């Protein structure tokens, strides 16, 4: 005899509802495991960022002290020397002044390097494209990696927050290309399509095993890609990283840009 439940369809109803319940339980478990992993990653990233920020402050303080501090001290001494020479040996005084001028130039360059590392003024003054172009030139200088930038439909300025996010992402991606890829070429494409900003960073280097980078995060390295992931998600964007071992790496991003165009 076939057992009947309330709906009169036989035991299959109970069987299916039990199956449905088990599927739901499994899905909820997978979701909570995913959320747990995500919150752990965020916590680790936050710790790393705080440490990195502290290290950066120490580095800037050390450079200000050791580099600029020393140069300014040397300048003061050189001016004293000129003062003493100026009346009795004007030729030596002029030579000393030339040395002083060189040291002022060096010190000014070092100061601009420091300012640039903290916040590139081109980003505020001239916008993302110019800042990115000049950063790429500096970052890839002395390597054999060619750089290409294609911007399609990007005419005005983006919202400052968006420009900063994208700039920091490109900085990390280009550093990775320089450090890890052995590429001959890297290209960045930025396109505006249907209310979205799409961007791609593509190199023709070694690629890497994407599954291994997750497990290799330790100490002060292995945070760059996770940082990119977080920045994209904070701007409500989507990210896809394709690493093809032996054939290169492609990072693709997509952001909604409604109300995100600046002046
Ligand atoms: N463009 C690339 N080409 C080849 N390998 C890459 C590329 N980008 C990343 N990788 C690999 O992925 C790993 C993780 O990159 P990630 O930027 O997260 O960390 P990292 O560069 O090692 O350290 P950091 O925390 O200083 O960025 C790298 O160590 C490298 O092995
Ligand atoms: Mg990196």
């Amino acid at each position: 005899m076939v057992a009947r439940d309330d709906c009169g369809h036989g035991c299959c109803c109970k069987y299916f509802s039990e199956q449905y319940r088990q599927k739901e339980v499994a899905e909820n478990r997978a979701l909570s495991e995913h959320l747990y992993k995500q919150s752990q990653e965020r916590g680790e990233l936050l710790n790393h960022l705080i440490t990195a920020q502290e290290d950066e402050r120490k580095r800037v303080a050390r450079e200000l002290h050791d580099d600029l501090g020393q140069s300014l001290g040397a300048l003061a001494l050189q001016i004293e020397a000129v003062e003493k020479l100026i009346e009795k040996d004007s030729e030596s005084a002029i030579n000393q002044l030339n040395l002083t001028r060189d040291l002022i130039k060096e010190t000014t360059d070092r100061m601009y390097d420091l300012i640039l590392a903290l916040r590139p003024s081109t980003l505020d003054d001239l916008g993302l494209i110019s800042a990115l172009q000049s950063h790429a030139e500096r970052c890839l200088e002395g390597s054999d990696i060619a750089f290409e930038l294609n911007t399609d439909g990007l005419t005005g300025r983006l919202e400052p927050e968006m420009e900063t996010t994208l700039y920091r992402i490109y900085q990390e991606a280009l550093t990775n290309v320089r450090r890890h890829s052995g590429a001959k070429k890297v290209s960045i494409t930025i396109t505006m399509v249907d209310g979205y900003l799409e961007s791609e960073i593509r190199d023709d280097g070694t690629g890497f095993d994407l599954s291994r980078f997750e497990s290799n995060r330790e100490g002060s390295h292995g945070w760059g890609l996770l940082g990119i992931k977080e920045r994209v998600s904070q701007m409500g964007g989507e990210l896809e990283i394709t690493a093809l071992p032996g054939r290169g790496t492609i990072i693709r991003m997509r952001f909604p840009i409604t109300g995100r165009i600046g002046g």
Side-chain angles (χ1 to χ4, degrees), residues 172 176 180 224:
E172 174 57 35
N176 277 353
H180 308 296

Side-chain angles (χ1 to χ4, degrees), residues 71 74-75 78 98-108:
S71 301
L75 278 172
Q78 286 190 1
N98 283 336
L99 289 177
T100 310
R101 191 188 303 121
D102 290 347
L103 189 56
I104 290 176
K105 190 185 171 306
E106 264 174 47
T107 312
T108 313

Side-chain angles (χ1 to χ4, degrees), residues 48 172-183 203 205-210 212-214 216-228 241 243 248-251:
H48 172 74
E172 174 57 35
L174 286 171
T175 305
N176 277 353
V177 172
R178 169 95 204 221
R179 262 170 60 194
H180 308 296
S181 76
D203 72 63
T206 55
F208 62 104
D209 182 353
L210 202 51
R212 277 186 44 212
F213 109 85
E214 297 266 342
N216 276 353
R217 196 171 301 127
E218 58 177 53
S220 61
H221 281 300
W223 299 94
L225 292 178
L226 186 62
I228 290 181
I241 301 178
T249 303
I250 309 166
I251 297 180

Side-chain angles (χ1 to χ4, degrees), residues 127-143:
L128 178 67
I129 305 304
S130 304
L132 172 59
Q133 183 73 49
S134 70
H135 172 74
E137 279 161 20
R138 256 179 297 116
C139 173
L140 301 174
E141 195 181 354
S143 75

